[in-house]
Amino acid sequence: MRYLKPYQQDFPYTVGHGDLTLHLDEEGSADILEPISALLAQRGSGTLRRGISGCMSGVRSRLFVKTVELESLPSRLRVTLGRQRRIGGYDWPIAELMNSVDAWRQGAPVPRLRGFGYRRQGLFPVRELFLISDMLDEHVDGRFWLTQPQMQIEAFLQGAFALIRELYEKQVCHLDLWAGNIMLDPQRLDAMKVVDLENCYIGHPPYWSEALGFQFAFLFLRLVQNHIDEARYDNLVYAALDQYPGIDRVNFERVYSLCKHQQISRKKRRDLLLTGNLQLRG
Ligand SMILES: Nc1ncnc2c1ncn2[C@@H]1O[C@H](COP(=O)(O)OP(=O)(O)O)[C@@H](O)[C@H]1O
Ligand SMILES: [Mg+2]
């Protein structure tokens, strides 16, 4: 997959077994090949579902492995040949791979990608992709944290808002920033990290105010709204906005007030930060 060369440079260590190839950051990570191969063999016998993510341990390494099966032939062909989708952008797992590397290079609070891989039989198209990153031990995700009796919603939100702010400073705009994609160490709520970077814009998006309006709204819409009333959430958001002096409050508000109550598709989120327009219908 030649088009991934600029990314492959970070992963110069290549290992393989059967139809599986892994490109890894260092020789020390290569011990992950065996447990992944064992998992695939087990799955072959039909006992495990496809597309899994979780912690895997080699003799020395402990890594988080996410696998994505490419279901359709067009998707397999695009990923193999490095083509983009008709609506623009790479297929999600390729976008996630690229965004993860780019975000890390910009110093964003994300787990480091340690390698990637794919399954491909001979010259047939790639069937499945693997993303391998640092395992965030001591962390839980925000979805889980919100169910815990000791959770305090405002402390959680201060941490999450600090995360949005840090991503802003590092110029990483995450368009799927809900509690399930936020990782936190319960002992250190001020140092959260974000995962699942498939739908991200890396760099300074043309419409940051609208993008921020979407991010704060989306966090509320998925889960957080069950834990805090809306007026209180608004107050916390408006206080947090004081740290963004260049923000256009009118455009922020337009998107924020709409998206707090309405799901918008991944494509529309992307259009929003590129054009500033939010097409809710059609
Ligand atoms: N590097 C990591 N270390 C530990 N757990 C992780 C890591 N990345 C993701 N997770 C956990 O796995 C879950 C699913 O990962 P995610 O990347 O969000 O995949 P999906 O596309 O399935 O939502 C997350 O909600 C989180 O609980
Ligand atoms: Mg996720």
Side-chain angles (χ1 to χ4, degrees):
M1 302 215 281
R2 224 170 329 143
Y3 72 105
L4 290 177
K5 249 214 166 104
Y7 294 89
Q8 219 161 300
Q9 278 166 7
D10 287 23
F11 310 109
Y13 201 79
T14 303
V15 289
H17 179 83
D19 64 354
L20 172 68
T21 304
L22 299 179
H23 299 289
L24 300 160
D25 60 339
E26 54 178 47
E27 192 178 350
S29 315
D31 60 1
I32 207 67
L33 177 67
E34 200 188 309
I36 295 182
S37 303
L39 182 83
L40 296 178
Q42 237 181 317
R43 199 172 59 177
S45 64
T47 49
L48 281 171
R49 73 182 172 88
R50 312 191 155 256
I52 337 167
S53 40
C55 175
M56 302 205 81
S57 302
V59 180
R60 282 156 310 193
S61 38
R62 226 173 115 67
L63 297 165
F64 184 83
V65 180
K66 179 166 166 177
T67 88
V68 184
E69 268 224 301
L70 303 168
E71 309 259 329
S72 74
L73 184 60
S75 162
R76 291 178 179 184
L77 287 171
R78 281 194 305 269
V79 165
T80 308
L81 301 172
R83 301 265 155 79
Q84 302 205 12
R85 292 170 305 161
R86 216 173 328 128
I87 57 163
Y90 288 102
D91 286 73
W92 295 116
I94 294 294
E96 184 168 357
L97 160 61
M98 293 175 165
N99 290 335
S100 302
V101 173
D102 293 342
W104 172 264
R105 284 182 186 155
Q106 298 200 182
V110 297
R112 182 176 195 163
L113 198 74
R114 304 288 305 276
F116 71 95
Y118 46 87
R119 291 178 81 191
R120 179 180 195 186
Q121 219 127 36
L123 289 176
F124 284 102
V126 170
R127 301 197 273 158
E128 187 169 12
L129 286 164
F130 298 74
L131 298 179
I132 303 166
S133 40
D134 272 336
M135 175 67 200
L136 294 174
D137 281 313
E138 325 296 337
H139 284 65
V140 295
D141 66 51
R143 176 171 52 179
F144 172 80
W145 183 242
L146 287 174
T147 66
Q148 296 304 291
Q150 72 273 36
M151 186 279 298
Q152 290 177 346
I153 189 65
E154 294 203 8
F156 170 75
L157 289 174
Q158 291 308 343
F161 290 0
L163 176 66
I164 294 177
R165 171 76 205 173
E166 199 181 347
L167 290 168
Y168 174 82
E169 278 164 8
K170 301 287 161 52
Q171 302 215 352
V172 171
C173 185
H174 195 296
L175 293 171
D176 200 11
L177 198 71
W178 69 290
N181 287 335
I182 293 177
M183 302 295 294
L184 61 98
D185 174 349
Q187 308 301 324
R188 290 207 51 202
L189 289 181
D190 59 341
M192 297 184 182
K193 291 189 160 70
V194 69
V195 296
D196 208 355
L197 280 85
E198 59 185 21
N199 198 4
C200 273
Y201 184 97
I202 312 280
H204 188 97
Y207 291 86
W208 251 123
S209 306
E210 289 80 349
L212 277 171
F214 171 75
Q215 286 183 310
F216 282 104
F218 190 64
L219 182 66
F220 178 77
L221 176 67
R222 287 195 76 175
L223 294 188
V224 164
Q225 64 170 319
N226 302 329
H227 299 272
I228 189 168
D229 75 55
E230 190 173 342
R232 179 68 190 147
Y233 185 80
D234 288 345
N235 284 337
L236 295 173
V237 169
Y238 297 143
L241 274 192
D242 291 340
Q243 290 177 39
Y244 300 80
I247 283 305
D248 178 329
R249 293 262 185 153
V250 174
N251 285 331
F252 175 93
E253 186 61 35
R254 180 173 56 87
V255 175
Y256 174 67
S257 54
L258 277 172
C259 294
K260 254 188 302 176
H261 303 286
Q262 199 158 345
Q263 283 279 1
I264 64 166
S265 71
R266 300 203 272 197
K267 178 170 185 310
K268 285 179 183 159
R269 295 173 209 175
R270 187 136 187 114
D271 291 347
L272 172 68
L273 61 77
L274 294 177
T275 66
N277 295 322
L278 189 56
Q279 303 277 334
L280 287 179
R281 308 253 173 271

